[in-house]
Amino acid sequence: MGLLRVLSQTTTKHRLNAVSVLGKFRIAQSFHRSESTARPLEGSYSSSDVDDEHDDFQALDFPGGKVSFVSQLKFIPEASGSRVPCYRVLDDHGCAISGSRFHQLEKEIAVKMYRDMVTLEIMDTIFYEVQRQGRISFYLTSTGEEAVAIGSAAALSPDDVIFPQYREPGVLLWRGFSLQEFTNQLFGNKEDYGKGRQMPIHYGSRELNYVTISSPLATQLPQAVGAAYSLKMDNKNACTVAYMGDGSSSEGDFHAALNFAAVMEAPVLFICRNNGWAISTHVSEQFRSDGVVVKGQAYGIQSIRVDGNDALAVYSAIKEAREMVVGEQKPVLVEVMTYRVSHHSTSDDSTKYRHVDEIEHWNKTRSPIPRFRKWIEGNGWWSDQDESDLRSTMRKQLMQTLQEAGKMEKPDLATLFTDVYHHVPSNLKEQETSLKETIKNHPKDYPK
Amino acid sequence: MGTNIFMRRASSSYNIQSVSSVFASCCNFSRTLSTSVSAEVKVGGTLVSQEENGGTKSMNLFTAINQALYIALDTDPRSYIFGEDVGFGGVFRCTTGLADRFGKNRVFNTPLCEQGIVGFGIGLAAMGNLAIAEIQFADYIYPAFDQIVNEAAKFRYRSGNQFNCGGLTIRAPYGAVGHGGHYHSQSPEAFFCHVPGIKVVIPRSPKEAKGLLLSSIRDPNPVVFFEPKWLYRLAVEEVPVDDFMLPLSEAEVIREGSDITLVGWGAQLSIMEQACADAEKDGISCELIDLKTLIPWDKETVEASVRKTGRLLISHEAPVTGGFGAEISASIVERCFMRLEAPVARVCGLDTPFPLVFEPFYMPTKNKILDAIKSTVNY
């Protein structure tokens, strides 16, 4: 259909200006939109046709800001023509793509990143096996996604407060959570900071600014906004970092968090690991949009899509995003494209709902660890000897921590009742007394 | 709870004059459909007396809330108030003037999203702030249920006390108002009484509202604070002008008696007080207890009273089935079975959605309570 354009204007002065500036546009005689006074125009309209000087009479003076008028009846398409591209630095062979822009890594950081990625891989292999042996009740690996947690953690400041989901133990590892500390949590022993109260992998560390994980999805997101607001009010040179998966982006809390963060200009960095699967639900069943990155703009948040299996790209993007968040005091959304090579957890068999070939493809040709290894080897920072030393040392250390953690006692029974409230209220004191009496009468009913 | 932190509490013992005056003002506008609305409007404009009287001021409930919020902001620079429409003073005027006085960084509107408000508040509180969130009506608190139940309530426990959100207080107007229908009248307190880790507090009068709200804000645990919106303008009382706190988890015997114990909270107490007065004319001596904090609740005070009277009646606006009255009834039967001389009576809302035109029929009215008092005493 031909484009109809009608300018609604009341004063002659403006009308004249409009004529002189806009030239080819037909000026309506009437204040009201009228078919008879409008004429079809050639070419198509774009917002750049409107001279800013004159938008006072071409715009709807809406409380949320002026909105220009258009006489064309046209809907915004559901998606732009092509998918949002994915920022990457290293190709599949670990070579920096020529012309790519990235933050240069110092050797020390790069090597630590690699070491931590390998450590995470070894932890996952061994802990998964330990669960299979029945020594711990549950486990969940980061396999295939090691670069997301490690690459992002390396780009953050230790003062940045992490609001994790559950597949980012790499961030804790980067910050110095020891193998023994991980293992204590998995065993829920006396040394577990969570006092044996939560399932394995629900880590938390006050010292490392890593807020304790909870199982419900996306609940951490609006909390990260509130915490970020606090950092802003205190003029801290830090932000909060909220991790989530693709499935979490469907939760109401995701919407709440992004909207609140944008409106309140809270310094929060949202990192979405889009790993293709939410347990058995494929991303195509999760959302119709081009992933998560496009949702940023709808909330008024800058966003970027990154190759999550390229540690250098993750590092560079998060480094830059973090500078924007802290410098501009505004949220940023990063969608990290990766793949959950592992089953969702030890309670899941993903071959029931996806092809083994797909898993193998990502595991063999897209794995982030060999890719990053090739890059640091290319820089002369890593050797085969380093590799075998690291792997054997880490295995030994892990075996040792497992022994230690297994030997340790469970938390004291009193901790069942503490921390529900700041002080133990009388009803809990009564229940503790009553429970102790029952234990005395039926000691065989209870674990030692 | 220790009393040392309540140093500025106006009086350590119950002041019967003061409470009677509150109830007198309520009773004049007894909750009948025909009169309450106009009475509310008529009274609304002239509720706050400008005269100070020995460190107290006569004020209505929303003004008392406003004062408590003012004091909270004034005494702790790390305190924040936020929610839908709080910036201009709130739809019930509880935050009037606070943004002007303390700035828009500390008193601000949020997007219209209850789960966002509470989630934001948890994060703010976790960083060591006092986060005072307003949910515009208790009827709209359910989108935030997950954040309250799974997050706020377990934040300390699940982290082994590494993290807590004890600085969080969630305020919400609750209860009947004469014309609120399904979605401006609910009393959802029982849902939250099933959640270890939070406290639930409901004041009955302006003075109580001020003292209990300040305690809730400063309590190191997350608190859900329900405000009886029917009393925002109707209830007027002498309220200490200074900063003062009333203890949580301490019930109060607000009327002494020997034949039957009545337990309630919030706006319902004024109705129960009327029933007690009428029962007295028939020679029945009623003891009336304001529970104030529903969890963790003060069983001892209720138990001591029932041991004395041998009879118990509980009344609340929320539907009777699964209401908090059931918990009180069960607990007291456990503790006082041999002493009870009649079944525990519950006079509560019906098990229907909160109705509009049938509100007077739904409500646990004075005469329903009076009948239950008589049948329990004559059992």
Side-chain angles (χ1 to χ4, degrees):
Chain A
M1 95 180 209
L3 181 76
L4 295 177
R5 183 166 173 78
V6 182
L7 299 176
S8 310
Q9 189 45 49
T10 50
T11 68
T12 309
K13 181 184 162 215
H14 281 139
R15 227 182 276 161
L16 291 172
N17 284 344
V19 170
S20 63
V21 173
L22 298 171
K24 62 178 181 176
F25 290 114
R26 164 81 184 182
I27 307 303
Q29 301 301 309
S30 161
F31 181 61
H32 301 289
R33 177 179 172 146
S34 157
E35 194 70 25
S36 63
T37 58
R39 281 191 181 175
L41 292 168
E42 289 173 8
S44 63
Y45 165 80
S46 77
S47 59
S48 60
D49 291 338
V50 180
D51 191 318
D52 287 347
E53 208 179 302
H54 298 283
D55 63 7
D56 59 330
F57 59 85
Q58 292 163 28
L60 178 66
D61 205 3
F62 189 72
K66 287 184 179 176
V67 178
S68 62
F69 289 115
V70 62
S71 52
Q72 192 183 29
L73 204 170
K74 190 181 170 189
F75 293 89
I76 297 169
E78 70 274 24
S80 60
S82 57
R83 297 195 66 178
V84 174
C86 190
Y87 167 71
R88 109 190 296 203
V89 177
L90 299 179
D91 65 18
D92 286 348
H93 310 292
C95 300
I97 296 160
S98 76
S100 57
R101 187 174 149 257
F102 62 95
H103 282 259
Q104 186 56 50
L105 273 173
E106 288 169 24
K107 177 188 170 186
E108 196 191 339
I109 305 283
V111 170
K112 178 171 160 51
M113 279 170 65
Y114 182 71
R115 291 178 63 93
D116 281 0
M117 283 162 67
V118 171
T119 305
L120 190 53
E121 186 190 32
I122 296 170
M123 277 168 56
D124 281 345
T125 309
I126 293 176
F127 288 148
Y128 191 86
E129 200 51 42
V130 167
Q131 193 280 336
R132 283 297 183 243
Q133 292 164 0
R135 293 164 71 192
I136 57 175
S137 60
F138 177 84
Y139 193 67
L140 178 154
T141 78
S142 301
T143 311
E145 304 181 43
E146 294 89 348
V148 180
I150 302 293
S152 59
L156 300 171
S157 150
D159 293 336
D160 297 338
V161 183
I162 309 294
F163 285 78
Q165 189 168 299
Y166 48 61
R167 215 181 293 278
E168 302 90 12
V171 178
L172 259 184
L173 183 67
W174 175 268
R175 289 189 168 196
F177 208 61
S178 71
L179 298 180
Q180 193 67 61
E181 288 173 306
F182 279 111
T183 319
N184 291 340
Q185 197 285 330
L186 297 175
F187 278 77
N189 65 28
K190 212 169 181 168
E191 298 296 315
D192 167 24
Y193 300 132
K195 304 180 186 174
R197 288 168 181 158
Q198 288 211 79
M199 283 170 74
I201 69 97
H202 290 67
Y203 312 110
S205 169
R206 171 116 212 151
E207 199 191 332
L208 300 176
N209 284 324
Y210 193 93
V211 179
T212 305
I213 295 163
S214 73
S215 308
L217 289 177
T219 49
Q220 76 279 13
L221 306 180
Q223 295 168 12
V225 182
Y229 189 80
S230 178
L231 293 172
K232 186 186 183 96
M233 289 299 107
D234 293 342
N235 292 313
K236 297 278 190 200
N237 182 24
C239 62
T240 62
V241 184
Y243 288 87
M244 76 202 87
D246 41 287
S248 288
S249 73
S250 297
E251 289 282 3
D253 276 334
F254 171 87
H255 168 78
L258 268 74
N259 194 39
F260 272 57
V263 170
M264 293 177 187
E265 300 185 335
V268 51
L269 175 52
F270 295 106
I271 303 178
C272 178
R273 290 176 297 96
N274 184 347
N275 66 14
W277 295 92
I279 304 188
S280 73
T281 304
H282 188 258
V283 278
S284 62
E285 296 167 306
Q286 196 66 250
F287 34 63
R288 185 56 65 93
S289 61
D290 176 12
V292 177
V293 65
V294 294
K295 300 184 183 192
Q297 193 171 40
Y299 294 108
I301 294 178
Q302 300 177 86
S303 58
I304 188 170
R305 173 173 275 164
V306 181
D307 180 352
N309 289 13
D310 173 353
L312 195 49
V314 173
Y315 175 84
S316 297
I318 298 298
K319 188 99 181 155
E320 192 119 334
R322 197 242 170 220
E323 277 167 22
M324 288 156 66
V325 166
V326 175
E328 298 171 23
Q329 291 288 294
K330 275 182 189 169
V332 170
L333 169 65
V334 181
E335 181 184 29
V336 187
M337 310 302 281
T338 183
Y339 187 82
R340 196 195 77 210
V341 170
S342 65
H343 305 304
H344 165 70
S345 73
T346 47
S347 310
D348 175 41
D349 174 6
S350 63
T351 59
K352 292 252 190 324
Y353 51 79
R354 59 180 184 176
H355 288 292
V356 177
D357 295 350
E358 179 183 306
I359 306 171
E360 279 307 296
H361 166 69
W362 279 87
N363 197 22
K364 293 243 166 72
T365 66
R366 294 235 177 275
S367 176
I369 298 178
R371 197 159 148 197
F372 195 61
R373 179 180 171 181
K374 283 175 194 152
W375 186 71
I376 57 169
E377 279 177 344
N379 287 333
W381 296 343
W382 195 253
S383 66
D384 288 349
Q385 187 61 46
D386 292 332
E387 182 78 14
S388 62
D389 287 352
L390 172 66
R391 288 186 181 270
S392 65
T393 312
M394 281 303 157
R395 277 203 189 90
K396 267 184 222 155
Q397 279 187 18
L398 261 171
M399 290 306 177
Q400 214 173 339
T401 60
L402 280 167
Q403 272 193 340
E404 290 293 320
K407 276 190 287 185
M408 242 175 265
E409 289 169 44
K410 293 292 173 201
D412 194 86
L413 182 66
T415 59
L416 172 57
F417 300 97
T418 54
D419 305 333
V420 179
Y421 295 95
H422 184 246
H423 295 297
V424 181
S426 60
N427 59 319
L428 286 181
K429 284 180 187 158
E430 261 175 47
Q431 289 167 24
E432 186 177 0
T433 307
S434 159
L435 179 61
K436 281 181 178 162
E437 190 63 25
T438 311
I439 296 168
K440 211 166 79 186
N441 296 337
H442 307 281
K444 286 180 186 164
D445 289 2
Y446 298 95
K448 294 281 178 200
Chain B
M1 183 173 288
T3 53
N4 56 325
I5 58 166
F6 303 109
M7 283 167 60
R8 286 198 258 181
R9 192 175 162 193
S11 161
S12 60
S13 62
Y14 167 60
N15 181 340
I16 199 147
Q17 283 306 112
S18 162
V19 172
S20 298
S21 69
V22 182
F23 290 148
S25 73
C26 296
C27 298
N28 291 340
F29 311 108
S30 66
R31 298 188 199 168
T32 57
L33 199 61
S34 56
T35 61
S36 60
V37 179
S38 59
E40 194 182 346
V41 173
K42 203 192 299 175
V43 177
T46 55
L47 282 171
V48 184
S49 146
Q50 294 305 308
E51 289 171 36
E52 288 193 20
N53 177 17
T56 69
K57 209 173 190 177
S58 176
M59 67 181 76
N60 65 16
L61 199 141
F62 86 71
T63 308
I65 296 279
N66 182 261
Q67 274 208 357
L69 295 175
Y70 185 102
I71 290 166
L73 290 168
D74 201 37
T75 52
D76 191 337
R78 299 189 66 96
S79 51
Y80 298 89
I81 295 176
F82 48 92
E84 293 155 18
D85 305 308
V86 304
F88 90 110
V91 297
F92 287 106
R93 314 309 300 143
C94 292
T95 52
T96 301
L98 299 180
D100 290 340
R101 169 65 179 78
F102 297 100
K104 288 181 176 171
N105 286 338
R106 293 183 64 200
V107 181
F108 49 91
N109 286 346
T110 64
L112 206 162
C113 178
E114 288 76 13
Q115 66 197 87
I117 292 169
V118 174
F120 179 91
I122 292 170
L124 191 59
M127 300 294 282
N129 302 290
L130 295 181
I132 307 163
E134 178 174 310
I135 299 296
Q136 202 162 75
F137 284 85
D139 311 63
Y140 306 134
I141 203 167
Y142 307 116
F145 201 62
D146 186 42
Q147 285 287 351
I148 297 171
V149 174
N150 273 331
E151 297 295 316
K154 298 169 179 60
F155 214 82
R156 184 193 300 277
Y157 194 75
R158 74 183 183 208
S159 72
N161 204 23
Q162 292 190 94
F163 299 95
N164 74 80
C165 63
L168 175 68
T169 303
I170 302 163
R171 298 177 40 243
Y174 87 97
V177 69
H179 52 278
H182 299 341
Y183 303 116
H184 297 83
S185 309
Q186 294 176 44
S187 299
E189 69 270 10
F191 292 114
F192 300 95
C193 292
H194 206 62
V195 186
I198 56 172
K199 296 187 176 183
V200 176
V201 178
I202 308 182
R204 69 170 185 273
S205 74
K207 180 177 147 192
E208 292 289 317
K210 182 174 175 183
L212 290 172
L213 181 54
L214 277 165
S215 289
S216 298
I217 290 168
R218 292 163 178 169
D219 189 86
N221 300 285
V223 177
V224 179
F225 190 87
F226 288 119
E227 298 166 5
K229 64 177 165 293
W230 200 322
L231 304 188
Y232 271 144
R233 288 167 187 273
L234 282 183
V236 180
E237 185 178 32
E238 287 294 319
V239 178
V241 291
D242 284 342
D243 185 351
F244 76 103
M245 299 197 286
L246 295 171
L248 303 186
S249 293
E250 277 188 27
E252 182 182 348
V253 177
I254 56 176
R255 178 191 177 102
E256 289 190 15
S258 53
D259 296 329
I260 182 169
T261 300
L262 279 74
V263 177
W265 49 88
Q268 187 60 11
L269 286 165
S270 66
I271 308 301
M272 296 167 81
E273 173 77 7
Q274 294 170 44
C276 292
D278 282 10
E280 194 169 27
K281 290 175 201 158
D282 289 340
I284 301 172
S285 167
C286 300
E287 181 144 305
L288 181 58
I289 295 176
D290 178 3
L291 204 55
K292 301 187 190 186
T293 301
L294 275 65
I295 54 159
W297 65 289
D298 179 1
K299 261 180 226 178
E300 289 69 26
T301 297
V302 179
E303 182 187 352
S305 174
V306 175
R307 285 200 181 285
K308 182 174 74 175
T309 63
R311 298 175 188 90
L312 175 64
L313 181 153
I314 306 140
S315 183
H316 54 67
E317 280 180 27
V320 63
T321 301
F324 196 63
E327 176 59 34
I328 297 171
S329 171
S331 294
I332 294 304
V333 170
E334 279 169 5
R335 289 174 172 231
C336 309
F337 182 70
M338 295 306 287
R339 178 67 188 92
L340 285 171
E341 292 176 33
V344 176
R346 287 181 291 163
V347 183
C348 304
L350 305 177
D351 290 337
T352 65
F354 198 102
L356 182 70
V357 297
F358 292 124
E359 178 173 321
F361 300 87
Y362 169 96
M363 290 293 281
T365 50
K366 181 197 75 176
N367 282 331
K368 284 184 187 174
I369 297 168
L370 188 58
D371 287 351
I373 290 172
K374 287 178 184 168
S375 61
T376 303
V377 170
N378 298 322
Y379 183 79

